[in-house]
Amino acid sequence: MTDMWTRELLAVAEAVVGDAERVFRSSIGAEPMITKGAGDFATETDMKIEQRVRETLAERTGLPVFGEEGGGSLDEDTVWVVDPVDGTSNFSAGNPMCSTIVSLLHYGTPVVGVISLPMLGKRLTAVHGSPLYVNGVAQKTLEESSPLVAQVGFGSIVSAVDSRFPTMRRQALMRMLADLYPRLRVTGSVGVDLAFTALGTFGGSISFSPHVWDNAAGVLLVRSAGGVVTDLDGNTWGPRSHGVIAGTPLVHHALMSTIEQSG
């Protein structure tokens, strides 16, 4: 892996995402089309964006693609990971808190990351070892946030029945965190939460998602911004990790401590 290689691949990813952004903005408010499970669905736009992104990435880079809608294999040395519309419920409702996420994993480590927030006019990018870029402009590293002022992004409140963080535990954790961080925010999009954490809009965030397409790009972006990232157990994040805790060192420590106290 070289800096030139990852930057060339980032340029390809940005071009592909730029095309996806046009489809995204013109289609927001799309109706649900495919039911994927209780409370989970996809729109025609999810399918359209992922198909175009998959085909273009594979054609221009020769690398395999793993996507939320079209699947694939993570058992590759190097693989693109795509979430065409993160926060689909928001997208379908016309809520701007939604995103497109593209990352490249190299032996399980995110080395290219893009989170686009099309309705907010922001595109966050990074490669392994680079600073965070927003719309092509390098950003300063994150400043420490105190518990009294930091906003914190909290992942979905309701869980699947078999989740290792069931609904009752999430709600108990939310009550505990609210005492420390009265400005908890639930955006409904992991991509938005991790993007806001990388930007410093949030002092930290918790993702309960076990899905690599939700988390991988944000892991790289927060690291590139100078933040701390682990899984929900405080271990190094990997493609098969369950969830993400991200933030400034101070906020990350507070979030981890509260999760441990929650049982």
Side-chain angles (χ1 to χ4, degrees), residues 31-36 40-44 46-47 69 88:
E31 295 291 332
M33 184 181 76
I34 297 174
T35 299
K36 300 195 292 185
D40 191 16
F41 61 86
T43 69
E44 183 178 359
D46 292 74
M47 305 302 176
E69 309 303 338
T88 303

Side-chain angles (χ1 to χ4, degrees), residues 130-186:
S130 82
L132 171 71
Y133 290 85
V134 179
N135 296 344
V137 178
Q139 305 295 297
K140 296 180 180 179
T141 56
L142 293 172
E143 299 292 334
E144 283 289 4
S145 300
S146 75
L148 296 178
V149 299
Q151 291 193 343
V152 169
F154 193 90
S156 55
I157 303 170
V158 178
S159 71
V161 175
D162 59 350
S163 170
R164 59 168 293 197
F165 264 78
T167 299
M168 290 184 65
R169 185 178 179 191
R170 294 186 191 194
Q171 293 177 356
L173 175 61
M174 195 176 208
R175 287 193 295 271
M176 295 173 68
L177 283 172
D179 290 335
L180 187 60
Y181 296 102
R183 297 171 179 84
L184 284 178
R185 297 292 183 264
V186 180

Side-chain angles (χ1 to χ4, degrees), residues 175-246:
R175 287 193 295 271
M176 295 173 68
L177 283 172
D179 290 335
L180 187 60
Y181 296 102
R183 297 171 179 84
L184 284 178
R185 297 292 183 264
V186 180
T187 70
S189 165
V190 176
V192 170
D193 287 347
L194 292 176
F196 279 11
T197 302
L199 288 168
T201 306
F202 289 168
S205 59
I206 300 174
S207 163
F208 297 105
S209 172
H211 302 305
V212 61
W213 55 75
D214 285 330
N215 298 319
V219 167
L220 174 60
L221 296 176
V222 174
R223 287 173 177 166
S224 299
V228 178
V229 182
T230 64
D231 66 13
L232 291 173
D233 296 314
N235 300 319
T236 301
W237 182 87
R240 291 179 172 81
S241 292
H242 191 116
V244 168
I245 303 175

